Amino acid sequence: MKDKEYYHFLELVAARQSDRVYDKTREVEPEKLERILEAARLAPSACNAQPWKFVVITDKELAVKVGKATAGLGMNKFAKDAPVHILVVEESANITSLLGGKVKNKHFPLIDLGIATAHISLAAESEGLGSCILGWFDEKEIKKLTGIPDGKRLLLDIVIGYPGKEKRKKIRKQAEKVISYNKY
């Protein structure tokens, strides 16, 4: 049973892609969105700091405005067609995580947000939805549109919706180029 469950997870990971075309006629069901957000909420974080806030945009007009603010210099034009935007905001980490980060010269909240983002994109895939993780956007404009305080860092916009195109062949480096055992 366990091997079958693991195989399912690898199928999910293999299927997940960055979708850049969304079906404008289909809305994301609230129950699917709730499960995706629960996957993000349950993500692990250094010292259980949970240094995140997810601002979920489902209002059609606002989603188009946020999508337009995500497009720029010819990039991410498709974002205006996505029915859902999950804005990933960095929140303060707890003292243990901050001190550990100072000692180890690592900013743990960025790692934590990456993990939560992976949970979101995989959960979306498991719900039959497409997603694309975007870091290029007009942060000031999106903050203005959504009321995110100026002092907060808006790190990512994860767009979610029903894919409007078929899956592409996934191209990755061969395992031996990116994996080694017991030494570099």
Side-chain angles (χ1 to χ4, degrees):
M1 183 71 166
K2 202 168 197 110
D3 286 340
K4 193 172 190 174
E5 289 170 2
Y6 181 70
Y7 185 68
H8 176 70
F9 180 73
L10 282 181
E11 287 176 330
L12 181 69
V13 171
R16 195 265 155 204
Q17 66 181 18
S18 294
D19 289 296
R20 292 179 175 86
V21 177
Y22 295 95
D23 182 343
K24 294 184 223 178
T25 67
R26 291 184 75 184
E27 292 184 22
V28 174
E29 297 87 342
E31 60 275 10
K32 288 186 175 188
L33 191 52
E34 292 291 323
R35 288 189 292 265
I36 292 166
L37 294 166
E38 184 66 359
R41 190 184 72 80
L42 293 173
S45 59
C47 304
N48 200 27
Q50 303 170 56
W52 47 61
K53 173 109 178 176
F54 305 107
V55 180
V56 185
I57 308 301
T58 57
D59 177 83
K60 287 180 184 182
E61 285 183 32
L62 184 56
V64 170
K65 289 177 184 176
V66 169
K68 286 180 179 176
T70 301
L73 297 177
M75 299 185 60
N76 303 332
K77 290 179 183 177
F78 62 91
K80 70 184 181 330
D81 297 331
V84 175
H85 293 255
I86 299 177
L87 306 175
V88 181
V89 180
E90 180 182 358
E91 293 291 323
S92 298
N94 59 27
I95 191 70
T96 313
S97 176
L98 290 172
L99 287 174
K102 289 277 187 208
V103 170
K104 291 298 178 183
N105 194 27
K106 294 180 181 162
H107 189 64
F108 290 123
L110 292 181
I111 297 166
D112 299 338
L113 290 167
I115 295 167
T117 297
H119 278 220
I120 289 169
S121 64
L122 289 170
E125 183 68 35
S126 77
E127 295 288 347
L129 298 165
S131 66
C132 193
I133 303 164
L134 305 170
W136 179 283
F137 47 78
D138 184 339
E139 183 175 3
K140 190 174 183 181
E141 178 64 15
I142 294 176
K143 283 180 173 182
K144 188 171 89 176
L145 289 167
T146 60
I148 297 170
D150 286 337
K152 300 287 182 185
R153 286 183 71 193
L154 170 57
L155 294 175
L156 298 168
D157 176 4
I158 307 169
V159 295
I160 294 178
Y162 281 94
K165 278 189 170 182
E166 294 295 314
K167 296 275 185 203
R168 302 178 301 276
K169 182 178 187 265
K170 191 171 269 194
I171 300 169
R172 294 292 183 265
K173 294 177 182 177
Q174 293 179 338
E176 56 272 6
K177 292 198 182 265
V178 297
I179 301 167
S180 62
Y181 290 88
N182 303 316
K183 62 179 183 176
Y184 188 84

